[in-house]
Amino acid sequence: LLIGRKKTLLELGIDAGFLKVDEISDDQKGLSFIFPDYTIQTFYTSLNAGIRVYGQKSLFRVGISPGLIRDGFLAGGYISFGFLFQ
């Protein structure tokens, strides 16, 4: 669901996906409250809330997506930037 003006929108939604983390590297450290730091294969359902801003030839999105995985709650988030090719 997108709510707002033409260039700045509030995004709200529900997602279902499959999360697979195959291996853990000992030379990298992630944020384990955002992404699992252990090997797992599971379905991931989440509620999404964020902001979507269109530039003249670009798109920026940022938001939170807390959800549930097999082992419990997972705080999630997203940031993306892209160019529009039209």
Side-chain angles (χ1 to χ4, degrees):
L1 174 66
L2 297 174
I3 302 168
R5 300 177 189 259
K6 192 172 186 178
K7 295 205 175 228
T8 303
L9 303 163
L10 171 66
E11 309 182 314
L12 299 173
I14 300 172
D15 274 340
F18 188 77
L19 176 66
K20 181 176 179 180
V21 178
D22 279 331
E23 62 184 68
I24 304 304
S25 174
D26 63 356
D27 64 346
Q28 298 174 355
K29 185 62 180 160
L31 298 172
S32 61
F33 67 94
I34 294 176
F35 197 77
D37 60 355
Y38 51 89
T39 300
I40 189 171
Q41 292 185 39
T42 186
F43 286 101
Y44 174 62
T45 56
S46 66
L47 299 173
N48 305 318
I51 299 294
R52 179 183 294 203
V53 180
Y54 287 96
Q56 195 153 10
K57 291 282 186 179
S58 62
L59 171 63
F60 175 74
R61 296 174 64 219
V62 62
I64 59 171
S65 57
L68 297 174
I69 60 174
R70 179 183 67 217
D71 298 338
F73 177 78
L74 180 67
Y78 58 93
I79 298 173
S80 66
F81 179 80
F83 293 102
L84 302 173
F85 299 103
Q86 295 183 22

